[in-house]
Amino acid sequence: MNGGPSGFNNAPVTRTIVIASALFTILFGIRGRSGNVGWSYQDIFKSLQIWKLIASIFAFTSTPELVFGIYLLYYFRVFERQIGSNKYSVFILFSVIVSLLLEVLALKLLKDPSLTILTSGPYGLIFSSFIPFYFDIPVSTRFRVFSLHFSDKTFIYLAGLQLLLSSWKKSMLPGICGILAGSLYRLNVLHVRRIKFPEFIASFFSRLSWPFTGRTSPTAPARNTLGSTPFHTARQVEGNFPASLSSTTDPPEDSVATLVSMGFERNSARQALIHARNDVNVATNILLESQAH
């Protein structure tokens, strides 16, 4: 299971976050300060070490956390492709700010000695992304190992669980706060899903990350919020497939219904499934990609 076509095409904001996380983690690791990146209530409100708060948004504490974190950030680029870089920037800002506020509140109320310093990294963004992942990404394949049932989404959940438990309470608290932030975004608290940044902000991320990719990447067009993305008409999508595919046997009705329930046109869903050989996940990615052209 993947987040669509490989690479960061139409996902400049995700590309910037991934690059920043890798660079910050490597920088602090080389300087031997990776263990000091995590922040505490005293660091921010008594010592005023604001740099720790900023660094903790990007830098992971250890290499295993970096590996799982970058993998999840890379997979979740599918949401930027779905709603556009502009609104995805709003989602990131909302997730980071709200999760940080919830962490501060939790530290103040819990007063747990084992939570003196929280682990660092973009936990707020990663775990808030599990909310749209759970509700908006369909299961395309299911399988069973011995008596246990799994799906293609299981591996993403396992990677998230590994990251959540990587530092026990110190990582669980940021993860839970991220899930709460993602839930508040989905509930459209304060009508956050209507907010859009000036267009130059999204294009800034594209220009910022361009030197690291060796090619230009125009800013993806803005789209609506998760679950309400406008889609091309059936004729536009059909134009992306060979004419011979139109005569292929109709795909399973339940697969078509799955895509239609996500908001896609019925004919567009049918053509995408034919092209994807009835793989719902691949068909979803085809339809999402068609919006960027």
Side-chain angles (χ1 to χ4, degrees):
M1 182 178 183
N2 55 54
S6 61
F8 291 101
N9 184 39
N10 297 319
V13 178
T14 300
R15 179 173 55 205
T16 302
I17 298 296
V18 168
I19 293 172
S21 294
L23 290 180
F24 270 80
T25 304
I26 293 172
L27 176 63
F28 284 101
I30 291 176
R31 299 181 63 181
R33 302 182 62 181
S34 59
N36 298 326
V37 181
W39 62 275
S40 66
Y41 186 88
Q42 289 74 19
D43 290 335
I44 307 303
F45 295 98
K46 294 185 178 180
S47 302
L48 298 180
Q49 295 180 330
I50 306 300
W51 69 269
K52 279 196 170 186
L53 194 62
I54 298 174
S56 69
I57 296 176
F58 298 102
F60 288 97
T61 305
S62 65
T63 301
E65 292 177 27
L66 173 65
V67 172
F68 284 102
I70 291 297
Y71 170 70
L72 291 170
L73 287 171
Y74 179 74
Y75 174 81
F76 290 143
R77 74 196 186 284
V78 65
F79 300 126
E80 181 178 358
R81 289 171 172 171
Q82 182 176 2
I83 66 177
S85 297
N86 195 311
K87 284 189 174 294
Y88 190 66
S89 299
V90 176
F91 174 74
I92 291 175
L93 189 61
F94 180 85
S95 299
V96 170
I97 292 177
V98 172
S99 61
L100 284 176
L101 290 176
L102 291 173
E103 289 172 33
V104 170
L105 180 61
L107 289 177
K108 183 65 175 178
L109 296 177
L110 294 176
K111 297 180 180 179
D112 188 337
S114 63
L115 292 174
T116 303
I117 298 179
L118 295 179
T119 191
S120 64
Y123 279 73
L125 171 60
I126 291 173
F127 285 95
S128 63
S129 298
F130 273 98
I131 300 301
F133 174 74
Y134 176 79
F135 287 103
D136 300 327
I137 300 297
V139 172
S140 59
T141 57
R142 298 180 185 275
F143 57 94
R144 187 172 65 179
V145 178
F146 299 111
S147 59
L148 300 177
H149 294 268
F150 298 95
S151 74
D152 53 341
K153 297 177 68 173
T154 302
F155 301 105
I156 303 299
Y157 287 125
L158 289 176
L161 183 63
Q162 172 65 34
L163 190 62
L164 183 68
L165 302 177
S166 59
S167 298
W168 193 226
K169 291 183 181 180
K170 295 180 180 180
S171 57
M172 287 181 63
L173 180 59
I176 292 172
C177 290
I179 293 173
L180 292 175
S183 300
L184 292 175
Y185 181 88
R186 187 172 185 84
L187 292 173
N188 202 21
V189 174
L190 301 178
H191 302 289
V192 63
R193 293 170 64 172
R194 296 182 181 179
I195 298 175
K196 289 183 64 177
F197 288 130
E199 205 60 42
F200 74 87
I201 293 181
S203 63
F204 167 77
F205 285 107
S206 179
R207 296 188 183 96
L208 183 64
S209 58
W210 172 73
F212 297 95
T213 60
R215 64 179 182 177
T216 56
S217 177
T219 302
R223 301 177 182 88
N224 288 338
T225 54
L226 289 171
S228 58
T229 308
F231 301 98
H232 279 315
T233 61
R235 181 176 299 176
Q236 289 174 306
V237 175
E238 288 171 7
N240 294 326
F241 308 122
S244 59
L245 290 175
S246 299
S247 59
T248 307
T249 305
D250 285 346
E253 184 60 32
D254 58 340
S255 298
V256 176
T258 298
L259 293 175
V260 171
S261 68
M262 296 173 63
F264 294 105
E265 294 279 350
R266 182 177 181 82
N267 288 336
S268 302
R270 175 182 173 278
Q271 292 293 327
L273 284 167
I274 292 173
H275 188 70
R277 298 181 180 179
N278 297 331
D279 188 315
V280 175
N281 191 49
V282 174
T284 302
N285 293 329
I286 290 173
L287 290 166
L288 292 176
E289 275 297 296
S290 70
Q291 300 172 60
H293 303 291

